[in-house]
Structure formats: structure tokens, C-alpha cells
Amino acid sequence: MHILLTGGTGFIGCELIKHLTGHQITVLTRSPKNAKEKLRHADFSNIDYIDTLSAFTDLNHIDAVINLAGEPIAHKRWSEAQKERICSSRWVVTQQLVDLIKQSATPPYCFISGSAVGIYGDKKYQHIYENSKTASQGFPYSVCNQWEEIAKQAASDKTKVCLLRTGIVLGPYGGALKAMLPPFKLGVGGKLGSGDQYMPWIHIQDAARAIAYLLFSSKAEGVFNLSAPHPVTNHDFSQTLAKCLKRPCLFSTPRWLLNLIMGESAELVFDSVRAKPKHLTEIGFIFTFSHLEPALKQVLNNEN
């Protein structure tokens, strides 16, 4: 199978490529040279690197497209310029891919495209499934809603579309945990605000395995919550992380302070999304890490 992958050098993309070693992969990247170096762990002469889609007039030669490209949403404060980068990095490449798919006589049979649980907004204690009502306002919603609307245009009787509403991805060497670990290792970590907000999380191995599963499953189509079956509150996450590190969990960071530090992007920390992967489990996907403590222990063992 020939797979076109965007975001291949990202946190999930690097892991996903390990699960696709038996296939030909074309990675779209801004820097082929840097990508080759970063992906050397998984490149068995089955990866080509391109820095633009402009050479393609269609995707007749591609069997499937996995679209994970996007400026990290939580790394910087949301200035207007940063918001534009976040949006355009997702919307523009997705539209380019959709246009190429629609121009193909024999288009890719599968288009898997990113999104995030931020599309649901703050849902407090509600269980959130793929058919749950999304938010109607807020920056994370607007980013993800437009991203999904563009991707859905690729759907036809020849191309199935899968949308990934991804939670917090836990893995060594990157992601949200990289920012969380330093204070917890020093024994000064703790809950954020009240700690009552739910955090939908997923181990990076399960995130990559789930994407590969969607790629090859005949039942896979539509929206998927890419999160573990047992989301936890920020309080429980903090307590579990401290326990795994054998550190105390006595502190808390007040909401007003995070609002001051992070500005509008603090909503990523305080919005409560109790997302459940109903659609994934219905089509037969089995999680390796369903519960938080074993997931964190595995990640921390590999991080050291």
C-alpha cells in the first residue's frame, strides 16, 4: 500500500510510522533533510520525502492519506498571529489534499484527518461520545469544526473519511507530559484550579495503533474519539502521576494564575471533556492501555 502522510515528524506521526513499516510511505514535510534524520528509526528504505504537493495533479497513485499536520495548539499564547498559524497549518493542507482527492479518477480509498476533543467545548461531567453535541463557540471549536468540514468534502463512494478527535497524548520525549513532568519530579506538582475538569487521555502507542486500525478496517468511517476508555479528572491525573513518580501531590495552581500566564489558551487546561471512544470500541479496537496508572508507568519507564 502507498500512504501519503502529513505531520509524519510530529509526536504521533513518528510513532505511527513504526506501525506502517510494511508499506510505501510518502511524507510531506517542510524539511525533507530534517525529516530523514528524525525518522531514521523507522525508515527501511520505504519512505519518500516531499516538501510540497504542487507536483501532484491528482492522487491516483496513492492508496490512503493520513493527515496529521498542524501547528501545536498549546505551545504558545494565542495572539492573533498565532491563531492564524494554528488555523492555516491545518486548513490549507487539508483543503489541498481534498482537492487532489476530488481530482482523482481512482482516489485513495481512505482519508484519515486530524481533529481534537476541543471541538466539544466545556461539558463538565457529561459523558461525551462521537454523536454528542459539539460546542458553538470558542477558538478550539472553530479550529476543529472548520478542519472537519474541509476534510468531509473528500468523502465519496470511492473514499471513506475518518476524523480523529484526539485527546491528550501521553508518551516519552514529547507531548503534554513533557511540560507536566518537571514540577512533579521536583515534588511541587499538583492539580490545576479545582481539578474537577475531565482530561481525555490516550497512550501514544494506542493512538498510533488506532490510526493504523482505522486505515485497514472495512468498518471504519466517520468520527472517532481518539482517547482511552477511562478519562480522569485533573485531580486524579495529578495524584496518579505523583504516585508513579513517588512524589507528593500537595500543591495546586490557581485558575487566575494560569489565566494570567496562558491567556485565552488556558481554556485548553480547564475545559472538561469526558470523552469516551465508543466508535473505536464498537468496530473492534482493543486498547493496550485503558487505565491511566499502567499507561503512565510505561511512559515513565521509557522516559528515563
Side-chain angles (χ1 to χ4, degrees), residues 176-196:
L177 199 58
K178 184 178 180 180
M180 297 178 195
L181 276 176
F184 277 90
K185 285 183 174 180
L186 292 171
V188 294
K191 65 182 181 180
L192 304 176
S194 68
D196 293 337

Side-chain angles (χ1 to χ4, degrees), residues 20 96 111 120 251:
L20 303 175
Q96 290 174 335
F111 180 43
Y120 295 114
F251 297 89

